[in-house]
Amino acid sequence: EGFKFSDTMEKEIEDLIETGRINHIRPTAEDIGKAYRIDDALGRYVVFCKNTFPENLSIEGMKIVLDCANGATYRAAPPVFRELGAQVVTIHDKPDGRNINEQCGSQFTGDLAREVRRTVSEIGLAFDGDGDRLICVDEKGRELNGDHLMFACARTMKEKNMLDGNLVVLTPMSNLGLLLALDGLGI
């Protein structure tokens, strides 16, 4: 239903696993179903991603470097950005099953910064291995973390009267500096 399990439910699941009772209530292979390969899954996902890009914005002709962390984004991210019109340079896009996040991606942006400067690109995007985190570098190779991005989005949305209730929801990973900066904008 899209909500976190309660502590009681988590304890019940732990007990099922720790006592072995789960072995008697979980479905067997015959009852689980069958897997079907969706041959055009990548194409469908690329189309989905492109459809989330705001129609009033354009990256046509932008030069962008993507650090795919030798992980989940190595096949999908480059065509998404190319089909949106960007010139794409990719690094760390050759996973071998062991090199995911290895001195690359969102936690290690040095290669990305160097490649952005070397190729005279406008921005660099570093994903993590499973594609759920993003760190950016600007045209000079300076890192922009999640707090920087949240601030930029919040400021722009406030200027355009797009902040519902003039609120921004932060994560526990947000730093005090972001909170103070947003407060300085009256958010």
Side-chain angles (χ1 to χ4, degrees):
E1 295 165 348
F3 294 97
K4 182 181 181 326
F5 286 134
S6 67
D7 290 344
T8 304
M9 181 64 79
E10 284 186 22
K11 179 69 174 137
E12 185 177 331
I13 293 169
E14 288 173 9
D15 289 342
L16 286 170
I17 294 169
E18 290 171 358
T19 63
R21 288 185 295 138
I22 196 166
N23 296 326
H24 306 293
I25 62 171
R26 68 178 178 198
T28 60
E30 300 83 36
D31 297 327
I32 292 176
K34 297 188 185 258
Y36 297 94
R37 180 170 301 280
I38 301 174
D39 293 326
D40 65 340
L42 178 60
R44 288 182 186 192
Y45 185 64
V46 168
V47 168
F48 167 79
C49 290
K50 288 175 13 187
N51 285 334
T52 66
F53 195 81
E55 291 180 19
N56 61 328
L57 297 178
S58 173
I59 60 171
E60 188 75 36
M62 279 184 74
K63 194 170 205 178
I64 299 173
V65 179
L66 303 177
D67 180 343
C68 297
N70 294 313
T73 61
Y74 87 101
R75 287 192 58 207
V80 167
F81 287 93
R82 281 188 190 106
E83 291 182 27
L84 287 170
Q87 298 175 40
V88 176
V89 175
T90 57
I91 61 173
H92 303 297
D93 60 339
K94 294 175 181 49
D96 65 11
R98 295 175 187 236
N99 62 349
I100 189 170
N101 290 324
E102 194 172 274
Q103 298 297 307
C104 60
S106 63
Q107 299 303 303
F108 302 95
T109 58
D111 288 352
L112 178 64
R114 281 186 289 281
E115 190 66 10
V116 165
R117 289 190 305 268
R118 186 188 75 75
T119 59
V120 193
S121 295
E122 294 166 72
I123 192 169
L125 306 176
F127 301 99
D128 71 331
D130 64 359
D132 68 351
R133 261 181 300 176
L134 172 76
I135 297 290
C136 301
V137 298
D138 68 10
E139 74 282 358
K140 294 182 176 160
R142 295 177 297 206
E143 188 173 293
L144 304 170
N145 64 31
D147 285 356
H148 295 118
L149 300 176
M150 288 277 284
F151 179 80
C153 290
R155 182 179 58 197
T156 299
M157 291 176 74
K158 180 176 175 72
E159 289 168 0
K160 295 182 177 188
N161 295 317
M162 295 172 60
L163 281 182
D164 190 15
N166 204 33
L167 298 172
V168 172
V169 177
L170 304 179
T171 72
M173 301 304 294
S174 298
N175 292 308
L176 179 60
L178 174 59
L179 183 63
L180 295 173
L182 292 172
D183 187 56
L185 292 177
I187 298 173

